[in-house]
Amino acid sequence: MKLKVLVVAGDGIGPEVTREGVRVLKTVAELGGYDFEFKEAPIGGIAIKQHGSPLPASTLDTALESDAVLLGAVGGNEFNSLPPDRRPEAGLLQLRQALGGFANLRPSFAYPALASNSPLRPEVVDGADILFVRELLGGLYFGEPRSWNRDTNEAWNTMRYTRDEVVRVARVAFELASSRRKKLTSVDKANVLEVSQLWRATVIEVAAEYPDVTLEHQYVDACAMHLMNTPRNFDVVLTENLFGDILSDEAAVITGSLGMLSSATVGGQINLYEPVHGSAPDIAGKGLANPLGAILTSALLLRHSAKLEQDALAVETAVRKVLEQGHRTADLARGQAGQPIVSTQEMGKLVYQSLNEMIDRRQAMHAV
Ligand code: NAD
């Protein structure tokens, strides 16, 4: 197994948490005998300082020559006065566009050890394991025409999808559902929106290719409620861009901390992997950042780009074990009196030690 990974750690806590994600990937490569090659390049605020652009041409070129891109986070208060197209976040948007991924995957997983971190009752979140597949390049965020006419005090956006755009993202969602618990919930607002009627008709068409997957449809408003009442009833949730943006943030409360959330954007030329959180300037450089979102993002890279499912599962299990042993970064220990706190680096080390032990045991079993 050979894989070229570009690491764009970015700003704030980006480099701290990405370092731990890369360390885990290196551990997996070493133990499995895989040939992972890592290159680093600047993006965001650091790239503005070094190269005058949030996405230097050299970073983009290296990204396009890679098999996968692993991102930390971009942004910082010192750049807030720049116009939107010159800010660090513009670099990330340009990179996402250039890599072309149209399906954003966001797992929402309830860790029993973190049940008290969720605002939902433990008996509600217990066992929840949802994978959102959000269409990322279409819908209201990109549709034309769009404008704000200040003379007439009118503004408008356009929600537009083609059948082909729905087919390709639906196939990604059905494939993933096939490999999980074989249930797909497609979210729309087909009682009001024509775009949703096209969405629903197309998803039903694609469903015929996946007879082993049970398809259900939910209106977005009802789905928002069911996610909080009965999160265990969901497996894969397929949504258009705007609905997915809102629902995946809503469902993040199941996991209990922003620092635990991972994401992957797939379907384009090159997959992009990034934790959900931002650059967190308030805690940057203090060893307070939770690296588990970045480490779980590395697990997604192992699953979707390296196709190493067993190793991806091993990383996810190592994270679960470390939490079960009671180790907490500051964000996870909040409100839990007397909870010992580990630093970003210590948490990373605990995960790769646990991973080492697990992979060693697996290899020993194979050798018998
Ligand atoms: P944020 O996600 O950076 O932080 C929100 C809160 O969560 C903060 O209190 C922060 O300390 C905490 N937090 C975030 N990640 C954490 C982690 N891993 N461990 C512990 N605590 C964590 O969002 P924000 O404050 O709205 O934005 C800060 C900067 O990040 C802005 O410049 C914003 O534009 C940028 N941003 C970037 C991305 C990205 O790169 N994908 C995403 C969101 C925001």
Side-chain angles (χ1 to χ4, degrees):
M1 154 53 58
K2 208 172 150 60
L3 200 75
K4 285 192 279 182
V5 181
L6 175 66
V7 181
V8 279
D11 308 317
I13 62 168
E16 300 165 53
V17 297
T18 308
R19 197 173 302 127
E20 303 310 320
V22 170
R23 203 198 299 260
V24 160
L25 288 177
K26 286 184 174 164
T27 304
V28 167
E30 200 178 308
L31 293 168
Y34 313 129
D35 182 7
F36 290 180
E37 178 191 316
F38 296 92
K39 283 190 179 164
E40 292 181 14
I43 192 170
I46 178 109
I48 295 174
K49 283 183 181 165
Q50 290 176 354
H51 300 268
S53 155
L55 183 67
S58 54
T59 298
L60 181 57
D61 289 347
T62 318
L64 293 172
E65 288 160 7
S66 308
D67 299 312
V69 177
L70 185 65
L71 182 113
V74 296
N77 298 334
E78 63 190 289
F79 306 102
N80 287 352
S81 57
L82 291 175
D85 61 332
R86 290 182 35 219
R87 285 171 61 149
E89 292 80 355
L92 175 53
L93 296 179
Q94 287 162 22
L95 179 67
R96 284 181 184 155
Q97 226 158 20
L99 300 183
F102 57 80
N104 182 237
L105 317 184
R106 253 176 78 166
S108 249
F109 189 82
Y111 292 89
L114 296 182
S116 61
N117 289 59
S118 171
L120 299 178
R121 287 196 311 277
E123 66 270 25
V124 173
V125 292
D126 185 32
D129 176 5
I130 309 173
L131 178 61
F132 281 87
V133 180
R134 166 189 168 196
E135 202 290 328
L136 205 61
L137 294 184
L140 205 57
Y141 292 176
F142 292 93
E144 297 283 349
R146 59 189 298 159
S147 197
W148 178 4
N149 185 330
R150 286 170 173 78
D151 298 329
T152 60
N153 275 328
E154 263 183 299
W156 56 94
N157 291 92
T158 305
M159 185 185 272
R160 184 192 296 268
Y161 270 106
T162 65
R163 179 185 169 280
D164 288 352
E165 284 170 331
V166 183
V167 167
R168 65 182 189 176
V169 73
R171 285 204 176 115
V172 170
F174 275 105
E175 289 290 336
L176 288 164
S178 294
S179 67
R180 290 171 48 102
R181 300 190 306 282
K182 305 194 189 320
K183 181 174 177 187
L184 191 144
T185 305
S186 173
V187 178
D188 61 42
K189 189 70 183 166
N191 49 343
V192 179
L193 301 174
E194 284 79 1
V195 180
S196 283
Q197 289 158 10
L198 168 82
W199 181 277
R200 189 177 283 215
T202 309
V203 171
I204 290 171
E205 236 182 86
V206 176
E209 299 168 25
Y210 300 89
D212 60 328
V213 177
T214 303
L215 170 66
E216 69 169 13
H217 304 276
Q218 282 185 10
Y219 296 136
V220 60
D221 40 353
C223 183
M225 188 179 63
H226 294 317
L227 278 170
M228 295 297 99
N229 281 333
T230 51
R232 261 194 308 272
N233 286 353
F234 292 89
D235 178 14
V236 173
V237 178
L238 169 65
T239 76
E240 64 89 49
N241 203 345
L242 168 69
F243 299 161
D245 193 1
I246 298 168
L247 293 179
S248 59
D249 263 25
E250 184 200 8
V253 304
I254 292 168
T255 305
S257 169
L258 182 56
M260 294 294 301
L261 301 174
S262 57
S263 85
T265 302
V266 305
Q269 223 179 323
I270 292 146
N271 294 347
L272 174 65
Y273 299 88
E274 45 183 322
V276 169
H277 61 75
S279 60
D282 52 334
I283 57 167
K286 298 178 180 166
L288 290 173
N290 181 350
L292 296 180
I295 289 173
L296 292 165
T297 297
S298 293
L300 293 180
L301 187 151
L302 290 170
R303 174 167 296 127
H304 297 289
S305 283
K307 308 290 178 202
L308 294 169
E309 178 62 23
Q310 288 305 312
D311 294 293
L313 281 174
V315 174
E316 290 163 351
T317 307
V319 168
R320 211 172 43 241
K321 279 192 173 164
V322 165
L323 293 172
E324 279 163 8
Q325 287 160 0
H327 303 292
R328 301 283 184 272
T329 42
D331 56 316
L332 300 177
R334 207 165 291 148
Q336 298 179 16
Q339 187 78 48
I341 292 174
V342 297
S343 69
T344 309
Q345 213 178 345
E346 285 162 346
M347 184 57 109
K349 194 170 170 193
L350 285 161
V351 174
Y352 75 74
Q353 278 171 347
S354 170
L355 184 63
N356 256 316
E357 287 165 18
M358 245 182 317
I359 296 183
D360 272 355
R361 264 201 305 279
R362 195 171 77 197
Q363 287 174 340
M365 273 167 63
H366 283 176
V368 172

